[in-house]
Amino acid sequence: MLGPRQEAQAALFYEFSLEDHVPQNHLLRSIDRFVDLSSIRAHLAEFYSHTGRPSVDPELMIRMLLVGYCSGIRSERRLCEEVHLNLAYRWFCRLDLSDRIPDHSTFSKNRHGRFRESDLLRHVFETTVARCMDEGLVGGQGFAIDASLISADVQKQNSSKPEDWAARVAGINDAPRAVQKYLDTLDDEAFGAATATKPKFTAHADPASQWTAARKGPAFFAYSTNYLIDTDHSIIVDVDASRSNRTAEVGAMRKMIDRTEERFGLKPDWIAADTAYGSSDNLVWLALKRKILPFIPVFDKGERTDGTYSRSDFAWDDENDRYICPGGKEMKHTRRTYSDPARNAPEWKARKYRALKSDCIDCLLKAKCCPKTEMRAIHREKYEIVREFTRQCTASGFNQTASNRRKKVEMLFAHLKRILGLARLRLRGPNGVQDEFTLAATAQNLRKLAKLKPMGPAAG
């Protein structure tokens, strides 16, 4: 039997509770238990005027931003529309059915103003990391570090060579905000002073972005998001934005390690990373200055690919300061005899070790050792002893475990791009990019908390 037609009828009164209409297993209900924003009003107090019209509650804006980044809603205009329509979003933002939603322009006003001046987003991120530590999800023994390229919000067509761009902006006072911020951060290693190498192109709208072809395909403008994670449960303990070059990414790693120890008292026993972090200077900083075991492949150009012996085929004799070639002959950096032995003592500097010409000419292995020269020479780096120590770490039985845990960082990057939708940036300039990366890392930590600490039956 066909039922009556359904028609909406207005009622004078409704009995409606948002609490009853949000499922117990909803993601935002699980996340809400770990969101503590009670301190942000005090954190922002000095950035508000004592007179004038009351502002929008900063906690409401932060909750709305968390909804957007946890749900992959990148547009703030669309975010306001979704919060207006979605009951679960209203519940998480502490909004009733009759409460108005802030205008999307309010986010921009606060993000470029008091949020950035007070470093509020960093404060929210660190509060989340502290909650992860309280829940026992951060062990602090092993860390992993990596960087991932995120496309900048610029086009190649709107770019020029660096020298042309410098002439273009010279004397311009009304440059876009992203350009002004870049000019303010030229001395920052993350965005200007990391390397003297000039990129092929500079974007007019966002000159801090890096022109890169690191993905072995068509070049594009990008930034790097740098994650430092605790390998126990893949908690992001720090995040930093930088230009997409090796020097800036290594600098971001050092900055994050120091900041994590300062803010949370966390100093790892070991760290895992890929070859990009295996330079001599960085290994010295980790192993000698910070006393952290580096499970990092050494960045080494001494390996040959033409079939002749590489440097690793020569045995090092530390006691006698010499190399032993595959033919059993010794190679020294000097053969002078000093009356004072201290004058020939090993020093922290680069040296070249050579075999005797007479040893090489009659050697049966010459064709495989030095076919184009009269004798073989080996270059030894200034900090080769640290590089050898790192090779011992990577040759140990624990290296496979460290390498497997390092892959957790790559999984977080995949989640960032595929699930949270951060494959391309919306904001421009160093500060805007840092805001996006910080909010995304906060959302990932909150989602991890919800997954690893599910709600019990009693709470449901």
Side-chain angles (χ1 to χ4, degrees):
M1 172 177 149
L2 185 62
R5 183 186 299 274
Q6 181 69 38
E7 295 182 0
Q9 297 182 359
L12 293 177
F13 301 99
Y14 289 94
E15 291 186 3
F16 187 89
S17 173
L18 282 176
E19 181 72 29
D20 297 336
H21 286 76
V22 179
Q24 293 296 324
N25 60 350
H26 196 280
L27 173 65
L28 290 181
R29 189 180 285 276
S30 300
I31 288 176
D32 184 65
R33 300 172 295 143
F34 305 109
V35 177
D36 181 12
L37 303 178
S38 58
S39 61
I40 68 172
R41 295 185 69 88
H43 185 81
L44 289 172
E46 61 181 291
F47 297 92
Y48 283 89
S49 173
H50 299 289
T51 61
R53 187 174 59 183
S55 66
V56 177
D57 186 0
E59 180 176 346
L60 168 60
M61 287 187 285
I62 294 298
R63 283 184 173 273
M64 289 181 66
L65 287 172
L66 291 178
V67 166
Y69 278 81
C70 286
S71 305
I73 304 174
R74 305 295 317 290
S75 168
E76 290 165 359
R77 186 187 297 270
R78 182 179 163 226
L79 174 61
C80 293
E81 296 173 354
E82 292 293 333
V83 173
H84 176 71
L85 296 172
N86 193 299
L87 296 180
Y89 295 172
R90 279 185 172 270
W91 173 86
F92 182 81
C93 295
R94 307 294 191 262
L95 292 171
D96 201 354
L97 288 177
S98 58
D99 291 333
R100 293 186 59 185
I101 308 299
D103 188 82
H104 65 89
S105 61
T106 305
F107 290 97
S108 298
K109 184 68 174 178
N110 283 274
R111 185 176 63 243
H112 295 304
R114 56 179 65 92
F115 282 9
R116 192 162 289 165
E117 294 169 1
S118 65
D119 212 6
L120 177 64
L121 301 182
R122 166 64 56 174
H123 173 75
V124 174
F125 170 76
E126 292 180 351
T127 300
T128 305
V129 175
R131 182 59 185 269
C132 293
M133 295 173 62
D134 294 340
E135 295 291 337
L137 301 182
V138 178
Q141 285 76 38
F143 282 2
I145 178 73
D146 205 353
S148 183
L149 299 179
I150 307 293
S151 297
D153 185 29
V154 293
Q155 298 293 336
K156 177 184 176 181
Q157 292 77 5
N158 188 25
S159 64
S160 60
K161 295 182 179 180
E163 56 271 18
D164 297 336
W165 178 84
R168 180 188 180 96
V169 300
I172 297 179
N173 297 322
D174 57 345
R177 180 185 290 110
V179 176
Q180 294 175 2
K181 295 300 181 183
Y182 171 63
L183 296 175
D184 292 340
T185 57
L186 278 176
D187 294 333
D188 190 332
E189 290 188 358
F191 298 103
T195 173
T197 302
K198 298 296 183 182
K200 187 175 181 180
F201 294 103
T202 299
H204 298 160
D206 191 359
S209 59
Q210 180 85 35
W211 176 254
T212 177
R215 289 179 179 171
K216 307 302 180 183
F220 62 103
F221 288 102
Y223 283 93
S224 285
T225 176
N226 300 270
Y227 277 5
L228 181 67
I229 73 164
D230 182 88
T231 58
D232 284 3
H233 295 96
S234 304
I235 298 299
I236 305 168
V237 294
D238 207 346
V239 56
D240 202 56
S242 71
R243 300 193 80 184
S244 300
N245 61 69
R246 181 180 299 163
T247 310
E249 291 169 359
V250 170
M253 180 209 70
R254 299 183 185 183
K255 177 181 178 181
M256 291 190 292
I257 289 177
D258 288 341
R259 185 164 54 192
T260 301
E261 182 175 7
E262 177 186 350
R263 303 290 173 86
F264 306 110
L266 293 175
K267 180 186 176 183
D269 298 325
W270 57 269
I271 189 168
D274 58 25
T275 313
Y277 301 86
S279 64
S280 296
D281 291 342
N282 193 46
L283 296 176
V284 167
W285 187 86
L286 286 169
L288 297 184
K289 184 176 181 180
R290 305 299 280 118
K291 309 298 182 184
I292 300 173
L293 293 177
F295 289 92
I296 304 172
V298 177
F299 186 75
D300 193 354
K301 295 184 178 180
E303 296 300 312
R304 294 187 174 184
T305 59
D306 58 358
T308 59
Y309 289 127
S310 300
R311 181 169 53 190
S312 59
D313 296 315
F314 294 76
W316 170 247
D317 181 3
D318 187 64
E319 183 177 354
N320 297 301
D321 188 27
R322 64 179 183 173
Y323 277 101
I324 304 297
C325 76
K329 304 298 183 179
E330 69 172 6
M331 304 171 65
K332 292 188 174 183
H333 72 91
T334 181
R335 298 181 185 273
R336 294 180 60 181
T337 301
Y338 294 93
S339 58
D340 182 7
R343 295 185 62 185
N344 198 29
E347 300 179 11
W348 288 80
K349 65 179 182 180
R351 286 180 168 180
K352 182 171 286 190
Y353 292 76
R354 299 177 178 86
L356 290 174
K357 182 179 178 180
S358 57
D359 291 337
C360 290
I361 288 178
D362 300 328
C363 182
L364 299 176
L365 301 176
K366 187 177 188 305
K368 196 175 181 180
C369 183
C370 53
K372 299 180 180 181
T373 58
E374 293 181 338
M375 58 184 179
R376 181 63 186 266
I378 295 293
H379 180 79
R380 184 173 177 83
E381 299 284 348
K382 177 180 180 180
Y383 297 111
E384 190 65 28
I385 186 172
V386 179
R387 289 156 57 89
E388 289 292 343
F389 172 75
T390 305
R391 292 188 183 100
Q392 293 176 11
C393 289
T394 55
S396 66
F398 185 74
N399 182 65
Q400 187 60 47
T401 300
S403 297
N404 292 339
R405 292 191 175 188
R406 185 186 66 81
K407 295 178 182 178
K408 295 181 178 181
V409 190
E410 299 174 1
M411 296 172 63
L412 285 170
F413 289 145
H415 179 270
L416 175 71
K417 297 175 183 179
R418 294 174 61 89
I419 306 302
L420 301 190
L422 193 59
R424 182 184 176 91
L425 292 160
R426 283 188 59 253
L427 304 182
R428 296 172 177 173
N431 292 336
V433 172
Q434 184 65 62
D435 289 350
E436 288 218 62
F437 291 161
T438 303
L439 278 169
T442 304
Q444 287 184 288
N445 280 345
L446 287 172
R447 290 176 66 110
K448 180 68 69 172
L449 275 166
K451 178 181 179 181
L452 298 180
K453 296 292 181 177
M455 299 177 65

